[in-house]
Amino acid sequence: MSSNYDVAIIGGGPAGSTCGSILKKYSPNLRVGIFEREKFPREHVGESQLPPIGAILDEMGCWEKVEKANFPLKIGATYRWGSSELLWDFEFVPLQNFVNPKRPGKFEGQRKQLAFQVNRAIYDQILLDHAQEMGCEVFQETKVSEVLRTGDHVDGLKLESGEVITATHYVDGSGGSGILRRAMGVETDTPTKLKNVAFWDYWENARWATKFYDTATRVLVLSIGSGWIWYIPLGPTTTSIGFICPAEFHKESGRTPKEQYEWALSQEPLVTDLIKGGSATGDVKATKDWSFVSERMAGGNWLLAGEAAGFADPILAAGLTLTHTSAREAAYTILAIENGDTEGDWLKEKYSENQAKRIRQHIRFADFWYSANGIFTDLQAHTTKIAAEAGLELEPAKAFQWLGTGGFTDDVFGQVGLGGLDLAGARQVAARFLDADVKWQLNRVNVLRLNLEGATEETAPSYSNGKIHRRLAYRRGNKILPNAGLFARVIEALKSSKDIGTIFNTVTHGLTKSEGRPHSEATLQLMQVMELMLQDGWITGKFDPSKPAISLQTPREGAIIHESLDLNATIKELLEKTS
């Protein structure tokens, strides 16, 4: 162990290993130390992933290692959630287009649209070992006992052994412990009324609810009114099953964690049937499951990454995605500073702003999900506050609908989407939750105008190929319009035409010609970008009856979101047997 590093990382979980691997990939000469208090492998909850992680694993250079572990492929999720007792499926790709993947496979084609369900003990070990192979110095069973500081500057890390480690940059990847965050006095905010607790155990030989070929499946998310159950196959024989409910509900029940867990599983006939013949460890674990976001994510010579920076309720399975993404962008920020970027304060400010915004959006979307479900209906009033933070004054019902129809969909710079859902998918979910048709504003206009009135130009970071690129963006209030990706194409088209049909044809033709995208895919993505721009006031429009118009619909049943016919039939049969 050296006493001095270029970068010292607290924690060897996915945040620390991702940050370390990205640093060493693009700057092999950096001395990177990772200090982990536990001995891997170790058990950890949070096993369900979203598709964006695949690209980060590929960039890190460890996609093939994760793929060889033969974790189940996640092709979507099955929910009982909302106003109906019926189960419904959300697919990452339409089932009719799903092809049997060769395992182990490359990160290409359809695999870019799927995700993994991982055994965290194995997964985290793979990532940490990979960071070490990339050249990081990894020290397990090495606890940081004290952060030495002067003002907002970290002077060193004092280990439990008494040794002091110094570095140019420090990264807190210590998860919920937030070792550096707490030491630097960073306050946290809980922008939600949700205060849940989680209970879980691991089962052997529980059956998969759905199986496609040998290794593909969906996770189950099942509301039981007092909370919800997750059911996540982690391998051929291992399944993670957990229960989340309000802390107050658990307190009033008077049950022990084990009693609460067993009671919850007994309420769900499908789960009860699936675990017949299986066996649990009996070691039921419990934790508080409260969303939070740090007031800042970076300081003088330090950054927070992963759950040290913030945590969003797991209903959207966003935990690992947020962790990998923030750790990647933390590494990019350090690389830019090390490569002589003189705007270090701007880089850290944008890093902090991006992470806070991303976490808050996932928390807001989680609030929307919970407010559509049983015991959580009182949260509908809370959506007024969420809308107000976006500069809108709306009554609870209107705010609820706004939130569920796209008031959150700018998770990635230049793209439209959140939590594995694009805007069209989010609206299809909203139609189920609201039990009402969701209207597209584009149907009401056919003459458009770009509206940058009151907006200021600024630069925003875009992270690719080891470098941070400055992209033009427009800001009005707390709304940002990126001049990148499809947004940039729409902005340019609006400068030469006001006719919605002409704009559609111009942009989709450009996409199919320059990027080879199928016309249907280009059209779908374009209409979502334009709808969001119209919704946020970047486009204003009117209707001219003498000109062609468009008609967009959000079907309740589609290729991506639809009723789970097979499982609903199974549940019906189970209930008939027990009645």
Side-chain angles (χ1 to χ4, degrees), residues 348-364:
K348 289 181 179 178
E349 176 189 337
K350 290 302 178 183
Y351 171 80
S352 189
E353 180 181 300
N354 285 346
Q355 309 321 312
K357 181 178 182 181
R358 191 174 289 128
I359 295 167
R360 286 181 183 276
Q361 286 174 167
H362 280 272
I363 292 173
R364 289 168 180 169

Side-chain angles (χ1 to χ4, degrees), residues 360-500:
R360 286 181 183 276
Q361 286 174 167
H362 280 272
I363 292 173
R364 289 168 180 169
F365 200 20
D367 276 1
F368 171 69
W369 279 66
Y370 276 102
S371 60
N373 187 53
I375 197 172
F376 304 97
T377 52
D378 63 320
L379 277 173
Q380 290 197 24
H382 181 54
T383 56
T384 296
K385 179 183 177 183
I386 297 173
E389 291 173 358
L392 301 173
E393 293 184 10
L394 300 174
E395 293 298 318
K398 290 291 185 182
F400 182 71
Q401 187 166 17
W402 166 81
L403 183 64
T405 53
F408 47 75
T409 43
D410 52 353
D411 192 35
V412 179
F413 185 78
Q415 299 179 24
V416 177
L418 175 69
L421 286 168
D422 60 10
L423 180 58
R427 291 194 161 186
Q428 203 171 356
V429 169
R432 286 180 172 272
F433 286 2
L434 299 168
D435 195 25
D437 292 334
V438 176
K439 306 296 184 182
W440 287 77
Q441 295 186 41
L442 282 173
N443 292 342
R444 300 188 288 105
V445 297
N446 58 3
V447 178
L448 308 177
R449 182 178 69 85
L450 181 65
N451 177 29
L452 299 179
E453 185 177 347
T456 57
E457 289 189 5
E458 63 176 47
T459 53
S462 175
Y463 306 84
S464 64
N465 299 317
K467 297 184 181 299
I468 296 179
H469 307 276
R470 286 162 172 77
R471 306 296 190 196
L472 177 64
Y474 302 96
R475 179 186 289 272
R476 186 164 52 218
N478 64 349
K479 288 292 184 181
I480 296 177
L481 174 66
N483 196 355
L486 257 177
F487 288 93
R489 289 180 179 266
V490 173
I491 291 171
E492 192 61 31
L494 283 164
K495 291 178 180 179
S496 58
S497 177
K498 296 181 179 180
D499 179 72
I500 193 169

Side-chain angles (χ1 to χ4, degrees), residues 554-574:
T554 301
R556 301 288 183 94
E557 294 289 314
I560 297 295
I561 297 176
H562 51 83
E563 183 183 339
S564 185
L565 296 174
D566 291 345
L567 286 183
N568 281 327
T570 298
I571 292 176
K572 181 179 179 182
E573 184 178 326
L574 291 171

Side-chain angles (χ1 to χ4, degrees), residues 274-344:
L274 291 172
I275 62 178
K276 284 181 180 177
S279 59
T281 69
D283 180 19
V284 175
K285 295 177 173 58
T287 186
K288 72 175 187 179
D289 197 30
W290 298 355
S291 298
F292 76 92
V293 59
S294 298
E295 66 175 13
R296 59 191 181 116
M297 317 291 184
N301 60 341
W302 54 269
L303 299 101
L304 310 180
E307 290 184 12
F311 175 77
D313 189 278
I315 186 64
L316 300 175
L320 277 173
T321 303
L322 292 171
T323 291
H324 279 290
T325 302
S326 65
R328 173 181 180 266
E329 293 178 3
Y332 269 68
T333 301
I334 292 171
L335 288 167
I337 295 171
E338 282 291 308
N339 289 332
D341 195 312
T342 58
E343 295 186 78

Side-chain angles (χ1 to χ4, degrees), residues 4-24:
N4 184 260
Y5 294 87
D6 294 305
V7 185
I9 301 172
I10 306 174
S17 54
T18 298
C19 185
S21 293
I22 295 291
L23 287 168
K24 294 296 289 184

